[in-house]
mmCIF file of all heavy atoms in Angstrom:
data_model
loop_
_atom_site.group_PDB
_atom_site.id
_atom_site.type_symbol
_atom_site.label_atom_id
_atom_site.label_comp_id
_atom_site.label_asym_id
_atom_site.label_seq_id
_atom_site.Cartn_x
_atom_site.Cartn_y
_atom_site.Cartn_z
ATOM 1 N N ALA X 83 104.774 75.044 38.706
ATOM 2 C CA ALA X 83 104.998 73.658 38.163
ATOM 3 C C ALA X 83 106.221 73.642 37.283
ATOM 4 O O ALA X 83 106.730 74.751 36.835
ATOM 5 C CB ALA X 83 103.847 73.106 37.316
ATOM 6 N N VAL X 84 106.795 72.498 37.089
ATOM 7 C CA VAL X 84 107.922 72.317 36.247
ATOM 8 C C VAL X 84 107.539 72.953 34.791
ATOM 9 O O VAL X 84 106.377 72.666 34.327
ATOM 10 C CB VAL X 84 108.346 70.845 36.078
ATOM 11 C CG1 VAL X 84 109.306 70.591 34.813
ATOM 12 C CG2 VAL X 84 108.906 70.317 37.313
ATOM 13 N N GLY X 85 108.433 73.700 34.237
ATOM 14 C CA GLY X 85 108.234 74.276 32.869
ATOM 15 C C GLY X 85 107.562 75.671 32.859
ATOM 16 O O GLY X 85 107.580 76.320 31.958
ATOM 17 N N GLU X 86 107.172 76.034 34.120
ATOM 18 C CA GLU X 86 106.542 77.364 34.220
ATOM 19 C C GLU X 86 107.632 78.511 34.391
ATOM 20 O O GLU X 86 108.765 78.174 34.878
ATOM 21 C CB GLU X 86 105.526 77.471 35.354
ATOM 22 C CG GLU X 86 104.267 76.583 35.054
ATOM 23 C CD GLU X 86 103.131 76.909 36.011
ATOM 24 O OE1 GLU X 86 103.318 76.741 37.192
ATOM 25 O OE2 GLU X 86 102.131 77.325 35.563
ATOM 26 N N ARG X 87 107.351 79.683 34.102
ATOM 27 C CA ARG X 87 108.285 80.719 34.319
ATOM 28 C C ARG X 87 108.365 81.254 35.700
ATOM 29 O O ARG X 87 107.230 81.555 36.292
ATOM 30 C CB ARG X 87 107.868 81.975 33.409
ATOM 31 C CG ARG X 87 107.742 81.632 31.959
ATOM 32 C CD ARG X 87 107.253 82.708 31.095
ATOM 33 N NE ARG X 87 106.970 82.259 29.760
ATOM 34 C CZ ARG X 87 105.754 82.295 29.028
ATOM 35 N NH1 ARG X 87 104.794 82.877 29.634
ATOM 36 N NH2 ARG X 87 105.718 81.806 27.879
ATOM 37 N N ILE X 88 109.547 81.390 36.277
ATOM 38 C CA ILE X 88 109.785 81.876 37.592
ATOM 39 C C ILE X 88 109.891 83.466 37.502
ATOM 40 O O ILE X 88 109.456 84.245 38.277
ATOM 41 C CB ILE X 88 111.138 81.419 38.236
ATOM 42 C CG1 ILE X 88 111.165 79.885 38.219
ATOM 43 C CG2 ILE X 88 111.239 81.926 39.599
ATOM 44 C CD1 ILE X 88 112.433 79.255 38.481
ATOM 45 N N VAL X 89 110.754 83.864 36.552
ATOM 46 C CA VAL X 89 111.134 85.243 36.431
ATOM 47 C C VAL X 89 111.261 85.778 35.000
ATOM 48 O O VAL X 89 111.707 84.940 34.116
ATOM 49 C CB VAL X 89 112.488 85.465 37.284
ATOM 50 C CG1 VAL X 89 113.597 84.737 36.559
ATOM 51 C CG2 VAL X 89 112.726 87.040 37.383
ATOM 52 N N PHE X 90 110.905 86.937 34.726
ATOM 53 C CA PHE X 90 111.068 87.548 33.414
ATOM 54 C C PHE X 90 111.720 88.954 33.620
ATOM 55 O O PHE X 90 111.318 89.763 34.360
ATOM 56 C CB PHE X 90 109.682 87.756 32.725
ATOM 57 C CG PHE X 90 109.789 88.620 31.444
ATOM 58 C CD1 PHE X 90 110.009 87.939 30.274
ATOM 59 C CD2 PHE X 90 109.538 89.956 31.456
ATOM 60 C CE1 PHE X 90 110.188 88.694 29.144
ATOM 61 C CE2 PHE X 90 109.648 90.749 30.360
ATOM 62 C CZ PHE X 90 109.980 90.078 29.145
ATOM 63 N N LEU X 91 112.848 89.089 32.841
ATOM 64 C CA LEU X 91 113.455 90.440 32.854
ATOM 65 C C LEU X 91 113.508 90.903 31.502
ATOM 66 O O LEU X 91 113.834 90.092 30.505
ATOM 67 C CB LEU X 91 114.954 90.253 33.300
ATOM 68 C CG LEU X 91 115.437 89.945 34.628
ATOM 69 C CD1 LEU X 91 114.647 90.761 35.715
ATOM 70 C CD2 LEU X 91 115.263 88.431 34.922
ATOM 71 N N GLY X 92 113.149 92.132 31.264
ATOM 72 C CA GLY X 92 113.214 92.689 29.920
ATOM 73 C C GLY X 92 113.698 94.190 29.867
ATOM 74 O O GLY X 92 113.359 94.909 30.742
ATOM 75 N N THR X 93 114.432 94.436 28.784
ATOM 76 C CA THR X 93 114.866 95.786 28.596
ATOM 77 C C THR X 93 114.621 96.250 27.155
ATOM 78 O O THR X 93 114.747 95.439 26.288
ATOM 79 C CB THR X 93 116.445 95.865 28.919
ATOM 80 O OG1 THR X 93 117.059 94.843 28.085
ATOM 81 C CG2 THR X 93 116.765 95.568 30.342
ATOM 82 N N ALA X 94 114.394 97.558 27.052
ATOM 83 C CA ALA X 94 114.219 98.135 25.696
ATOM 84 C C ALA X 94 115.325 99.247 25.581
ATOM 85 O O ALA X 94 115.396 100.109 26.440
ATOM 86 C CB ALA X 94 112.805 98.745 25.452
ATOM 87 N N ALA X 95 116.010 99.313 24.394
ATOM 88 C CA ALA X 95 116.951 100.342 24.241
ATOM 89 C C ALA X 95 117.143 100.555 22.731
ATOM 90 O O ALA X 95 116.729 99.737 21.946
ATOM 91 C CB ALA X 95 118.303 99.949 24.875
ATOM 92 N N HIS X 96 117.746 101.743 22.415
ATOM 93 C CA HIS X 96 117.995 102.135 21.048
ATOM 94 C C HIS X 96 119.185 101.173 20.505
ATOM 95 O O HIS X 96 119.186 100.824 19.362
ATOM 96 C CB HIS X 96 118.417 103.524 20.881
ATOM 97 C CG HIS X 96 117.195 104.510 20.969
ATOM 98 N ND1 HIS X 96 115.996 104.117 20.263
ATOM 99 C CD2 HIS X 96 116.844 105.607 21.609
ATOM 100 C CE1 HIS X 96 115.070 105.083 20.505
ATOM 101 N NE2 HIS X 96 115.602 105.909 21.342
ATOM 102 N N HIS X 97 120.114 100.796 21.461
ATOM 103 C CA HIS X 97 121.232 100.158 21.116
ATOM 104 C C HIS X 97 121.215 98.732 21.687
ATOM 105 O O HIS X 97 121.032 98.661 22.858
ATOM 106 C CB HIS X 97 122.513 100.835 21.486
ATOM 107 C CG HIS X 97 122.477 102.322 20.797
ATOM 108 N ND1 HIS X 97 122.746 102.357 19.479
ATOM 109 C CD2 HIS X 97 122.455 103.470 21.318
ATOM 110 C CE1 HIS X 97 122.660 103.695 19.174
ATOM 111 N NE2 HIS X 97 122.481 104.384 20.282
ATOM 112 N N ARG X 98 121.550 97.728 20.906
ATOM 113 C CA ARG X 98 121.549 96.385 21.287
ATOM 114 C C ARG X 98 122.300 96.042 22.529
ATOM 115 O O ARG X 98 121.989 95.272 23.423
ATOM 116 C CB ARG X 98 121.731 95.353 20.177
ATOM 117 C CG ARG X 98 123.100 95.355 19.584
ATOM 118 C CD ARG X 98 123.181 94.422 18.469
ATOM 119 N NE ARG X 98 124.545 94.322 17.982
ATOM 120 C CZ ARG X 98 125.118 95.058 17.019
ATOM 121 N NH1 ARG X 98 124.555 96.182 16.683
ATOM 122 N NH2 ARG X 98 126.451 94.782 16.661
ATOM 123 N N ARG X 99 123.564 96.663 22.514
ATOM 124 C CA ARG X 99 124.507 96.287 23.663
ATOM 125 C C ARG X 99 123.871 96.761 24.923
ATOM 126 O O ARG X 99 124.090 96.141 25.970
ATOM 127 C CB ARG X 99 125.882 97.143 23.348
ATOM 128 C CG ARG X 99 126.955 96.904 24.336
ATOM 129 C CD ARG X 99 127.524 95.575 24.497
ATOM 130 N NE ARG X 99 127.672 94.984 23.201
ATOM 131 C CZ ARG X 99 127.368 93.694 22.862
ATOM 132 N NH1 ARG X 99 126.749 92.980 23.946
ATOM 133 N NH2 ARG X 99 127.482 93.136 21.793
ATOM 134 N N GLU X 100 123.305 97.893 24.897
ATOM 135 C CA GLU X 100 122.705 98.399 26.261
ATOM 136 C C GLU X 100 121.600 97.507 26.696
ATOM 137 O O GLU X 100 121.511 97.152 27.871
ATOM 138 C CB GLU X 100 122.147 99.862 25.907
ATOM 139 C CG GLU X 100 123.031 100.816 25.275
ATOM 140 C CD GLU X 100 123.498 101.959 26.218
ATOM 141 O OE1 GLU X 100 122.829 102.286 27.091
ATOM 142 O OE2 GLU X 100 124.758 102.417 25.901
ATOM 143 N N ALA X 101 120.788 97.088 25.773
ATOM 144 C CA ALA X 101 119.620 96.159 26.116
ATOM 145 C C ALA X 101 120.186 94.899 26.657
ATOM 146 O O ALA X 101 119.681 94.426 27.724
ATOM 147 C CB ALA X 101 118.672 95.975 24.957
ATOM 148 N N LEU X 102 121.130 94.293 26.018
ATOM 149 C CA LEU X 102 121.675 93.012 26.344
ATOM 150 C C LEU X 102 122.452 93.086 27.673
ATOM 151 O O LEU X 102 122.284 92.304 28.637
ATOM 152 C CB LEU X 102 122.527 92.410 25.250
ATOM 153 C CG LEU X 102 121.749 91.902 24.052
ATOM 154 C CD1 LEU X 102 122.590 91.879 22.848
ATOM 155 C CD2 LEU X 102 121.180 90.607 24.360
ATOM 156 N N ASP X 103 123.340 94.116 27.903
ATOM 157 C CA ASP X 103 124.108 94.244 29.098
ATOM 158 C C ASP X 103 123.132 94.437 30.242
ATOM 159 O O ASP X 103 123.378 93.948 31.370
ATOM 160 C CB ASP X 103 125.100 95.385 28.931
ATOM 161 C CG ASP X 103 126.314 94.938 28.083
ATOM 162 O OD1 ASP X 103 126.396 93.781 27.721
ATOM 163 O OD2 ASP X 103 127.105 95.810 27.806
ATOM 164 N N ALA X 104 122.222 95.416 30.087
ATOM 165 C CA ALA X 104 121.275 95.642 31.150
ATOM 166 C C ALA X 104 120.514 94.428 31.641
ATOM 167 O O ALA X 104 120.278 94.295 32.712
ATOM 168 C CB ALA X 104 120.380 96.801 30.721
#
Side-chain angles (χ1 to χ4, degrees):
Chain X
V84 167
E86 291 195 301
R87 298 173 190 125
I88 308 167
V89 65
F90 170 88
L91 292 313
T93 55
H96 285 315
H97 302 291
R98 66 184 185 278
R99 176 71 37 229
E100 310 250 333
L102 286 159
D103 284 354

